[in-house]
Amino acid sequence: KVVIKTEHIRVSDQTVPLDEGVEAVREIINPDDYGLTEEALYALTKEIMDTSLTMGGDFHLDNIRFFAERFIKSGSIARFKMAHENDF
């Protein structure tokens, strides 16, 4: 694990295998409840992981679970499905 510290920024290992991220998302978001295919679940997981990173987090599985919950509460899954309706 590489940790780079600067005055106000801490960058830690931001790699997690996508499969682990998908399993963390699956704990929170049941694909059957939202009509998500396996391919759509992987794409949604990538989006959740990107959101975590953008919001100043990293790819720690707890962060991925946190943002998966926020995707549910904010209605982002419906927006994701609408944006990708022709992709899957």
Side-chain angles (χ1 to χ4, degrees), residues 59-72:
F59 294 151
H60 189 278
L61 295 178
D62 287 340
N63 290 340
I64 294 169
R65 289 182 195 100
F66 172 83
F67 283 104
E69 289 173 357
R70 294 305 163 273
F71 265 59
I72 292 171

Side-chain angles (χ1 to χ4, degrees), residues 5-18:
K5 292 184 180 182
T6 63
E7 189 173 328
H8 298 286
I9 299 171
R10 181 175 161 243
V11 178
S12 61
D13 181 7
Q14 296 175 346
T15 61
V16 66
L18 183 57

Side-chain angles (χ1 to χ4, degrees), residues 18-51:
L18 183 57
D19 290 339
E20 288 181 31
V22 168
E23 290 311 310
V25 169
R26 193 186 308 271
E27 291 173 18
I28 307 301
I29 299 172
N30 181 341
D32 294 334
D33 291 347
Y34 294 93
L36 297 170
T37 64
E38 196 67 13
E39 184 181 9
L41 180 63
Y42 271 78
L44 177 63
T45 299
K46 288 179 188 178
E47 199 162 302
I48 289 170
M49 292 171 73
D50 287 346
T51 300

